[in-house]
Amino acid sequence: MVDLSTEGQLDTVQMMVNMGPQHPSTHGVFRMVLWVDGERIVDLEPHIGYLHRGSEKLCEGELYVQIVTLFDRMDYISNLNNEMIFCRAVERLMGLAVPERAEYIRVILCELNRVASHLLFCGTFGIDAGAMTPIMYAFRDREKIQSMFEAVTGARMMHNYIRIGGVKGDVPDDFSQRMGALLKVLRQGINETDKLLSFSEIFLARTKGIGVIDAETAIAYGMSGPSLRACGVPMDVRKDEPYSVYDRFDFGIPIGEKGDSWDRYYVRVEEMRQSMRIIEQALEQMPDGPTITPSRLVLRPPQGEVYVRGENPRGEIGVYLVSNGADKPYRVKVRPPSFCNLMAIKELLKDTYIADAVVILGSLDIVLGEVDR
Amino acid sequence: MVERHRREEAPQAPVDLDDKGRALELLLPGILAEFQPEIGATVNLVSVTVKSQDVPSVCRLVKEDPRLSFNFLMCLCVVDYEEHLQVVYHLYSTDMKHMMVLKANVSPEEPSLPSVTSLWTGADWYERESHDLFGVVFEGHPNMAPLLLYEGFEGFPGRRNYEMPEYKEW
Amino acid sequence: MSLSLVVFYLLGAVCLGGAVGVVVSRNVVHSALLLLVSLMGVAGLYLLLLAEFLALVQVLIYGGAITIIVLFVIMLTRVQEFRAMKDNPQWPLAVVAALAMFVLLAAAMIKGAPSETTRQSVSFEELGSSLFTQWAVPFEVASLVLLVALIGAIVIAREGGEE
Amino acid sequence: MSALETLLLVLAIFGVLTGLSVIVLSLIWLERKFLGRMQMRMGPMHVGPFGLLQPVADAVKLMAKEDLLSSLVDRVVYWVAPLAVFVPTFMIWVTIPVARDLVIRNLDMGLFYIIAFSVLSIVGLVTAGWASSNKYAVLGGFRAAAQLVSYEIPLILAVLGVAMLAQSMNLEEVVNSQSTVVYALVQPLGLVIFFIAGLAELGRTPFDIHPAESEVVGGPFVEYSGAHWAVFFLAEYINTFAIAALTVLLFLGGWLFPGISGDVSALGVLVFLVKTYLVILVVFWIRGTYPRLRIDQLMSLGWKVLVPLALVNVVITASYMFYGWSAWSLSLMSLAILGAAIWGLSKRMRTAPTPEYTVKLYVPAPEASNAG
């Protein structure tokens, strides 16, 4: 007789779903192999490296001034912050002083860059959650920021504006007025996006309590930036170890409570407001003067090694620079914030739904250019 | 081409520690005495060099000691000094807000040292990356599969003696 | 041959063809879809008999609900093993059972078939009022049975889910 | 059936098909333009005046497109699936009147017929997902099956309420019985349930869970291209129009409008179309505003909220019919239950009032910030 017992035969099958590298919600070429039971994720294996260009190795073959452009392309959403961190590393190594005005311009542009980056996040996060309008609002405002960058740096994305020892050139004459007007528009725009998305019942239902991570685990994974601050850890390099002229501004660090996706989202929204506060103060305090310390085109920093920290929109970035006294660095290592934040994905996605996977991944706000380098 | 030799004639960068760094510099020799560390400083951080087999115990000690409490692995990387590979750990404490560098040298022929993933989960991908690019084997790592490179990639492209393949049209 | 007879033969062919397909097809999903075809053919036959309500119920329940559930179950479970189950060695038994059923039904039909049928449509209202007055008790019993089945299904599903 | 009648029937079917195609084109244009305006874009603007010919251009493009086919697809099922979706969506138009006496066949059990046939298109979605041999498509197919089967129930129960009030399942009679007061006022609860369930049946935001492009990349349609995909698209828009039309017929008085005599067919059609397009604009508006629900939230909304509410709706309607209460008392009860449901739901979704839903601002003590 045939065995008609259905023991084990009628179990639902675990399906392997290959999410990415080409998937609309992986924010680049990130691949997750998901094992799903129906809609529920049983296990997953993240795969990165599809955008690995060997940036760190490339740095070893370029002059110091050329490397700034490589950093531009690492986290292509927050170029200026990346330029800044490398320049600061070289300046620290050489003991090169940066003119005050240059520091202020750097801070203003970096914070503006942070706003642009977070705006992009708000938009794409909306898309991840299924709302299609927020990204249009966010991009409307981000475009204005990009135009501002264009006016100052001459490029919309790969600026190469922050140079070792200062910035490429002074800002346009009407910079203050234009910034003031821009900030006003941005405030309004952010409030609009906020109203549209942040407190929508459905958005709350989709993000509250999804992808919760506690502070201890987050620290163990090396998460940083808004993703860590959402767990209630007020860790921000701009406060902990103020670089540039950040100690002269009055601003707060938004921190979340539960460490869920909504907290990660809203910490960023609040951060935009704080960034704009910084920009306003910086615009008021900005002194006149030169914008770059003249230095040789082919820099030969002294032998030694240095690690500098900086606060990127995505989290804490660090550059470990080893110099042997030559015109090219001996070794450059970047601590990429997205890389560390993304590492926690396995923890975050455990036992969630496929739809949550998209939201949680979106809430980490990764940039694959930086994860893979 | 990459400049291979170290330029001995170049000046040394001056050490310029902040208050926390100086405090650490005084504190560390006492705590780590049993491991006979070489305690020095990079430009802005205290650096401790230990033997590679001591890495996990030193890490555990600096993580658990309340005066240090280095609970945050900021960065893990490998520097190829040709005569040896140096594994560099940048450690940070979220409570004390201070930072130090831990270094361990391994031989380039058979580079291997114990993994620290049990202490800091975040060491996972860093160690895999270092394995990919420099061939350093981290003993006790749960999954040493290639991370950034594809399966079956030949050689260790992070090392300085890696010959870049000629550019080819695909 | 009248139009309705042509339609009848067509629908009959659809029914039988679908039914044969269900049994013959090696692909379980194809079988399920052919089952739908067959059931739709039956709905067409009902329509031909002016039993509009029955036809629509056939479409709604069998076409919409049952087939989808069957498809759902097939796709969610291990299809490969179902393929093996199609080579069921019990098929001679099934043939005998089916033939016996056929003979029984055929005999009943030949014996009980009226020589002349009058076609009449049953209105919606009549159907409703007779269900709720004349046949109220059987109707309620039937719904009770369904309710029990429903609760049973929930209980079984829960056991696996929450331990 | 005489030859003339048959000819008329064929003509009518042909007319409905043509009319629906035109309506679909107009809907595509309207949706893109409307969403564009909501998102501060222009929408289509280059093809024809105001981009009016954009949908035509799109249709031509889709027809001319190469049909890409994965080697693993189950071909027969793959080709049949779009038809299985399209045919039922077209068939329900047999009995949907657009004005008095302007309908192919005014069936006595019209509503029942519509419900029965609209269910059939689910089979098409499920098989499309399965035959594509793509995991996203399979997931989307499952989602479609689970979602659409579940939301049939509140939809049917909401329709039942109207059928009880009108004492008929004939759509024309349903409209005629609203000549004094539209059912939207008598049964606001029913309208809301019907509209929500209808949105879910359409798979539109916030219930666009089976084609969710950020999750399952278009669900059952992911592998389809060209003309076959266009058929799905066509079906989706015809369905949108059908649900809007049903909302208008069942709850908003169809072609009736105070002061406008519905006896003139052309005027009736105009009123009907204006109402329907307004309802569709609401659908688009929702699409431009809300994120997407998750499948389990959708299911619990359907089973735990809409089905009980729909049952309550049926019960109060039955009591009203049986005890002969006045219409306004039913209306008040319906409104009260609706209000209570919305209040309870928002209470449940927000475990606390809004202020808790902000992040705190951490400002370190001054000495700490000056330490470095």
Side-chain angles (χ1 to χ4, degrees), chain A residues 297-350:
Chain A
L297 183 64
V298 180
L299 292 171
R300 290 180 197 277
Q303 273 193 53
E305 52 189 74
V306 69
Y307 181 88
V308 291
R309 306 164 61 197
E311 188 68 26
N312 252 25
R314 258 150 276 282
E316 179 169 343
I317 192 169
V319 168
Y320 178 54
L321 181 66
V322 183
S323 158
N324 62 353
D327 54 354
K328 294 161 185 169
Y330 190 75
R331 170 91 166 108
V332 176
K333 167 74 189 172
V334 184
R335 178 207 194 268
S338 306
F339 182 79
C340 304
N341 291 347
L342 186 59
M343 230 187 289
I345 192 87
K346 220 169 161 171
E347 184 81 23
L348 287 164
L349 285 194
K350 227 173 258 170

Side-chain angles (χ1 to χ4, degrees), chain A residues 55-57 59-60 64 86 304-306 319-324 328-334 373, chain B residues 76-81 86 88 129-130 133-134 158 160:
Chain A
S55 297
E56 290 165 358
K57 177 83 176 173
C59 291
E60 294 171 12
Y64 280 94
F86 180 71
E305 52 189 74
V306 69
V319 168
Y320 178 54
L321 181 66
V322 183
S323 158
N324 62 353
K328 294 161 185 169
Y330 190 75
R331 170 91 166 108
V332 176
K333 167 74 189 172
V334 184
R373 280 154 293 138
Chain B
L76 189 163
C77 73
V78 180
V79 187
D80 181 8
Y81 287 113
Q86 192 171 58
V88 183
E129 185 193 352
S130 302
L133 302 180
F134 291 90
R160 293 187 80 84

Side-chain angles (χ1 to χ4, degrees), chain A residues 217-286:
Chain A
T217 323
I219 287 172
Y221 271 104
M223 284 170 87
S224 56
S227 305
L228 178 63
R229 290 197 281 273
C231 313
V233 183
M235 179 174 152
D236 189 323
V237 190
R238 293 174 297 172
K239 284 281 184 197
D240 293 344
E241 203 181 290
Y243 53 93
S244 196
V245 286
Y246 275 112
D247 48 349
R248 301 182 195 177
F249 307 124
D250 170 35
F251 65 99
I253 310 171
I255 52 169
E257 254 173 44
K258 304 188 187 69
D260 54 17
S261 298
W262 193 86
D263 279 354
R264 284 193 283 274
Y265 161 80
Y266 208 68
V267 160
R268 289 187 171 94
V269 174
E270 278 298 320
E271 239 172 53
M272 288 196 271
R273 302 203 167 108
Q274 297 301 322
S275 288
M276 286 192 288
R277 269 178 72 191
I278 296 177
I279 295 172
E280 271 172 354
Q281 294 170 47
L283 280 174
E284 260 172 42
Q285 298 175 15
M286 191 157 73

